[in-house]
Amino acid sequence: MGKVVAFLAECQGSPTIDRQRASMSPEALIVVAGRQSLNKLSDLLARSGARLEAGDRVLVYDLSCITLSTSTLIRIIGRMLRAGIAFEIVSAGIVIESALDDKLYRLIQALAGHQRHVHGLKTHPETASRGRKPLLNPQNIADIRAKLERPGATATDVARELGVARSTLFNFLDRYDPARSGGRKKIGEGGAENVGEGAHLPESDATRV
């Protein structure tokens, strides 16, 4: 059986260190973190020559003692559980075992997975959705060019048809359409703008935007 580590930290509105200590089991290794939060536990243990290992159990008196965002806290607890370390909230009587059949363990892992998914949506919105194909595919450049060259077609109409912004369409063409590679244009809200002297759009784009 592993060791029991009691993490005691105090912040505004939390129980005092003395109250927390009184609630811990006698065999617990007490780590008084003061105002440091749970992400410092390993560093604090290392100072006394100890470290967390599979089979250990980490106790906190209450989540109000931990000054971390909820997403960060979930990530840290999930990391402990995956390492075989149980987590207990004493005031609530909640014990999360590291066993795969523990429902609370599975809940923490599901919440951690959701947080990663949401983070991916925010940082890579164009590729985060599973199974969703890119709206603009370099393999379809010929078809897109054909749409632009239809009589009366405008870049705005084609962009709307493809389900993208007009600037997105131009950025895509600048990157993947060889016919535009010499223009070196940037696209602003008002349309295409020349970057340097002598830079110009191909005639078809210049007359249709």
Side-chain angles (χ1 to χ4, degrees), residues 51-207:
R51 65 187 181 90
L52 290 175
E53 301 172 303
D56 291 349
R57 181 187 301 269
V58 172
L59 280 60
V60 299
Y61 177 77
D62 190 78
L63 295 187
S64 65
C65 305
I66 300 176
T67 55
L68 293 171
S69 68
T70 303
S71 59
T72 300
L73 177 59
I74 289 173
R75 187 169 64 250
I76 290 174
I77 296 174
R79 188 183 305 143
M80 289 183 185
L81 295 172
R82 289 193 299 273
I85 301 164
F87 186 80
E88 180 174 348
I89 306 171
V90 176
S91 65
I94 294 174
V95 178
I96 309 175
E97 301 290 352
S98 60
L100 292 176
D101 60 350
D102 186 275
K103 291 183 178 180
L104 290 177
Y105 173 91
R106 296 205 301 270
L107 173 61
I108 291 294
Q109 297 306 321
L111 289 172
H114 176 263
Q115 194 277 331
R116 290 192 297 270
H117 174 69
V118 171
H119 178 72
L121 289 176
K122 291 179 179 179
T123 55
H124 302 289
E126 72 283 356
T127 59
S129 298
R130 288 189 176 183
R132 181 178 178 181
K133 296 181 179 180
L135 294 174
L136 298 177
N137 191 322
Q139 296 180 351
N140 298 332
I141 189 68
D143 293 336
I144 295 172
R145 171 54 60 186
K147 293 178 185 296
L148 287 167
E149 293 177 350
R150 290 181 307 200
T154 67
T156 299
D157 293 337
V158 173
R160 186 180 298 112
E161 180 182 347
L162 295 171
V164 299
R166 182 170 174 269
S167 59
T168 300
L169 174 60
F170 276 120
N171 289 335
F172 172 80
L173 292 172
D174 286 343
R175 184 172 182 180
Y176 294 107
D177 186 4
R180 295 171 59 88
S181 60
R184 297 187 180 180
K185 298 154 291 296
K186 65 179 181 178
I187 308 301
E189 293 183 359
E193 299 174 359
N194 292 334
V195 174
E197 291 187 17
H200 63 279
L201 285 169
E203 181 178 351
S204 58
D205 289 339
T207 58

Side-chain angles (χ1 to χ4, degrees), residues 4-6 20-30 59 88 90:
V4 177
V5 178
Q20 295 177 48
R21 190 194 299 268
S23 302
M24 298 302 168
S25 59
E27 73 272 14
L29 171 62
I30 303 295
L59 280 60
E88 180 174 348
V90 176

